[in-house]
Amino acid sequence: ERHEGTGSAPHGDGGSVAFDPSSYDESMQACRTAYFSPRNGGLLRSDDAGETWTRAGDTPPKVRLFVDDDGAVYLAGAAEGGAGLYVSRDRGVTLEKLLDEPIHGMDLEHRRLYVSGDFGVRVSGDGGATFESVEPLRGLDRQNGKPVLNITVS
């Protein structure tokens, strides 16, 4: 399945888009490779900075995308039927499930992967093979068992 674009993600229904920093092209001043996951699921990849999109693989619905410095694609979801954390190390063709629980937030910073959810906040320094809790969560209200919905690391 191939989609023609205008330099932006296809499907006007929203979704999540992420750029592969390892594909940065100085002459274009842009990343050549981008990924898009529409709200209803599926993963599209562009290798020409968003001009055209090709189906790369299947994903659960309503996921968030991030691409690390090595080109690994991380997908986090909290919706029924797709809750968990996944990674693709083959440009979106196959997914490996790393965590089997709702993931509400995700961020990558300095080769460390942060995720948040009902469990609070966890961090992985090895691409998601292992996670440890981030404690204490100063300033984060975890009263009444509410999940941490978003996380941004800077």
Side-chain angles (χ1 to χ4, degrees), residues 4 14-17 32 46 49 67 76 78 80 87 102 106 109-110 116 123 140 153:
E4 296 298 321
S16 183
V17 66
R32 286 193 167 276
S46 173
V67 183
E80 187 176 328
V87 66
M106 175 174 57
E109 181 72 24
H110 303 294
S116 64
V123 63
L140 292 177
V153 181

Side-chain angles (χ1 to χ4, degrees), residues 2-117:
R2 190 165 178 85
H3 302 271
E4 296 298 321
T6 56
S8 61
H11 301 294
D13 65 352
S16 183
V17 66
F19 296 89
D20 182 349
S22 70
S23 72
Y24 184 76
D25 184 323
E26 185 67 38
S27 67
M28 294 176 61
Q29 295 194 359
C31 293
R32 286 193 167 276
T33 304
Y35 296 90
F36 176 71
S37 182
R39 293 178 73 59
N40 61 353
L43 185 64
L44 302 175
R45 182 182 65 242
S46 173
D47 291 314
D48 56 12
E51 291 300 318
T52 59
W53 296 85
T54 305
R55 186 169 190 82
D58 293 318
T59 67
K62 298 180 183 174
V63 296
R64 294 177 184 205
L65 298 174
F66 280 87
V67 183
D68 73 10
D69 293 338
D70 298 320
V73 182
Y74 291 90
L75 302 92
E80 187 176 328
L85 177 67
Y86 306 81
V87 66
S88 175
R89 300 184 198 285
D90 57 6
R91 299 175 39 88
V93 177
T94 60
L95 295 176
E96 173 190 356
K97 196 168 201 178
L98 302 175
L99 294 174
D100 192 20
E101 55 196 310
I103 306 297
H104 295 281
M106 175 174 57
D107 202 358
L108 287 165
E109 181 72 24
H110 303 294
R111 299 196 180 273
R112 296 175 64 80
L113 174 64
Y114 294 82
V115 294
S116 64

